[in-house]
Amino acid sequence: MRAYLPFIVYFCFILLVFFHTRSWQRYTDWGKRLTIISFLVYVTAVMWLCLTPAHVDVPSAQKILFHFHGVPYNAIPFQGFSVEYFLNIVMTFPLGVYIFLFNYRTPFESAILYGFCFSLFIECNQFIWDYFLNLQRLADIDDLITNTLGAVIGFSLMLILYQNGWQKFLQRFMIIQH
């Protein structure tokens, strides 16, 4: 049970923020509500995947790991090819979509920074919680890079769609409008 403490803490925090900001009541359009609810589900799923003990063992590339007080981490990027790279991109692709939907005016550089900070948050939490609770998670520079790339790809796709005739459709789901 204590191995699930990081997830429980963040899940409660997410719910507290959601109900405190009254996001549900502020937006009455079904599209905006769908964006908010799906974002909450997405963040919850990411926290479950990243801050609970590993439920699925994905084959990983052999890596030279460093250790800090017994906690392993990878600081050398791309030591070998792994399917994890693709899975990390897929996991954070929706983040880029949400960055766009929450504020379509976000500069591209800021979208990169948001993706990087989100990934850094995950990796730091995996390291810290593994130190205290031994979650068997690995803070990995590869994850930081591929997670950021996934968010950038998602944001870029939304920019391309928006600039090529999808404005009217996407505006239904965008939180900040013109």
Side-chain angles (χ1 to χ4, degrees):
M1 177 65 180
R2 80 179 205 167
Y4 292 89
L5 184 62
F7 172 76
I8 293 167
V9 166
Y10 286 117
F11 181 72
C12 291
F13 177 75
I14 290 166
L15 288 179
L16 181 69
V17 168
F18 174 72
F19 287 113
H20 180 71
T21 60
R22 301 181 189 274
S23 297
W24 187 255
Q25 295 166 344
R26 186 178 318 154
Y27 301 106
T28 57
D29 296 346
W30 68 269
K32 291 172 183 35
R33 285 189 171 187
L34 181 62
T35 298
I36 291 167
I37 293 300
S38 65
F39 178 71
L40 290 173
V41 170
Y42 168 72
V43 170
T44 301
V46 170
M47 292 298 123
W48 179 263
L49 287 170
C50 298
L51 297 178
T52 60
H55 301 289
V56 178
D57 190 22
V58 177
S60 180
Q62 293 293 342
K63 299 177 183 182
I64 299 169
L65 300 178
F66 299 91
H67 291 79
F68 177 81
H69 293 283
V71 179
Y73 64 95
N74 175 28
I76 303 172
F78 304 113
Q79 295 180 44
F81 181 76
S82 173
V83 73
E84 286 179 337
Y85 302 155
F86 174 73
L87 295 175
N88 283 333
I89 290 169
V90 169
M91 180 182 76
T92 54
F93 176 89
L95 177 64
V97 172
Y98 287 117
I99 291 169
F100 181 87
L101 291 177
F102 278 104
N103 186 357
Y104 78 99
R105 296 182 196 144
T106 301
F108 190 76
E109 297 80 12
S110 295
I112 295 170
L113 182 63
Y114 294 150
F116 177 80
C117 288
F118 185 77
S119 181
L120 185 63
F121 173 80
I122 291 169
E123 296 306 311
C124 287
N125 270 278
Q126 286 180 335
F127 182 83
I128 291 167
W129 288 107
D130 194 49
Y131 178 76
F132 289 111
L133 298 176
N134 191 25
L135 292 181
Q136 300 298 310
R137 290 301 190 157
L138 177 67
D140 193 338
I141 188 73
D142 296 339
D143 294 353
L144 188 64
I145 295 167
T146 54
N147 288 345
T148 303
L149 180 61
V152 168
I153 292 170
F155 185 81
S156 299
L157 178 66
M158 294 303 286
L159 280 175
I160 291 167
L161 290 174
Y162 188 78
Q163 294 170 353
N164 289 292
W166 288 77
Q167 298 97 339
K168 195 169 203 145
F169 176 77
L170 292 175
Q171 284 175 351
R172 293 178 186 164
F173 305 98
M174 292 168 33
I175 301 300
I176 294 181
Q177 299 275 329
H178 303 286

